[in-house]
Amino acid sequence: MALGMATVAYELRFDAGRISLDLLATTHPEERLDSTEVLCAWIVGSGLVPDGTDLTHADPSWLVGFRELRGSIGQLVRGAPGHGYGLAPGHGYDLASGHGYDLALAHVNDVARAAPPAPRAVRDEDGALVRELDGPPGCAALLGAIARDAVGLLTDPVARAAIRECEGDNCPIVYLDTSRGRRRRWCSSEVCGNRERVARHRRRAALSRT
């Protein structure tokens, strides 16, 4: 898939509230991480690395690593022993999948051992301090940063209780609800929220014609 502005602006989303949850969003409405070019756009857009970071060394094995970590995080976020993780009924832990949960947990913990990319502060052309990386980041370092975010999310009771799954039709996106009163219903008011408002308007219009 060619990478263009539409891909960066629309297909790649970074509004889930945590980088590990943003990674989960790359499966909807279809696979987004289908080329190293798009993966690199996601890595920069997510804030994992500063804009302009050299990622020309990324290869197809990175796609495998990111997708595997995404799958494990998805299993952990959508349910765990004794916890619903704030998700809607039916999205909690299934005792029959306990073995899969343990494997996912072991995978995330193993990936989290890698040290994340080392940052440094340097002066830009105007003399202001900006963030750079000490060198081109490796795949393991980038995955380690995401896995550490997932560990932090799942072990923080407050954050864990704020995990929600979008109420939009056929939308599996999981996000962190930091709204006042924890009343956020959709992954995005502009996307799923707008669809719901349009559908509601059409239903009312149809009723008025009967």
Side-chain angles (χ1 to χ4, degrees):
M1 180 174 67
L3 176 63
M5 290 305 295
T7 298
V8 176
Y10 175 75
E11 295 183 3
L12 300 179
R13 294 178 51 181
F14 307 100
D15 52 4
R18 296 288 290 252
I19 194 170
S20 53
L21 300 183
D22 284 335
L23 181 60
L24 296 186
T26 59
T27 63
H28 180 72
E30 59 188 25
E31 177 62 67
R32 298 306 184 195
L33 303 184
D34 58 0
S35 73
T36 54
E37 189 178 17
V38 176
L39 174 60
C40 290
W42 185 88
I43 290 171
V44 173
S46 68
L48 262 180
V49 302
D51 191 21
T53 298
D54 181 13
L55 295 172
T56 56
H57 55 295
D59 60 47
S61 69
W62 286 38
L63 291 170
V64 176
F66 273 78
R67 289 175 181 172
E68 288 181 345
L69 180 60
R70 182 182 64 190
S72 294
I73 292 173
Q75 283 188 268
L76 300 182
V77 165
R78 288 187 167 87
H83 298 284
Y85 282 91
L87 298 185
H91 296 285
Y93 179 70
D94 180 358
L95 290 175
S97 64
H99 182 61
Y101 174 87
D102 290 338
L103 290 176
L105 183 61
H107 181 214
V108 170
N109 284 336
D110 185 58
V111 174
R113 292 178 181 177
R120 62 177 181 170
V122 299
R123 293 190 181 278
D124 64 10
E125 295 178 355
D126 299 322
L129 291 178
V130 296
R131 180 173 68 106
E132 279 190 1
L133 298 186
D134 195 43
C139 184
L142 296 173
L143 292 175
I146 300 172
R148 290 181 182 211
D149 178 75
V151 170
L153 172 64
L154 296 171
T155 56
D156 180 346
V158 175
R160 191 172 64 220
I163 297 175
R164 301 285 186 274
E165 187 168 73
C166 182
E167 294 183 22
D169 288 340
N170 301 313
C171 182
I173 289 182
V174 178
Y175 60 89
L176 202 65
D177 183 5
T178 57
S179 65
R180 182 176 298 178
R182 298 286 197 268
R183 295 178 180 177
R184 180 177 167 187
R185 296 178 54 199
W186 302 294
C187 62
S188 167
S189 179
E190 290 75 21
V191 181
C192 287
N194 188 57
R195 286 199 197 103
E196 176 64 24
R197 286 188 288 271
V198 170
R200 195 182 307 143
H201 173 74
R202 288 176 177 171
R203 287 193 295 268
R204 285 198 298 264
L207 287 172
S208 67
R209 292 193 296 269
T210 59

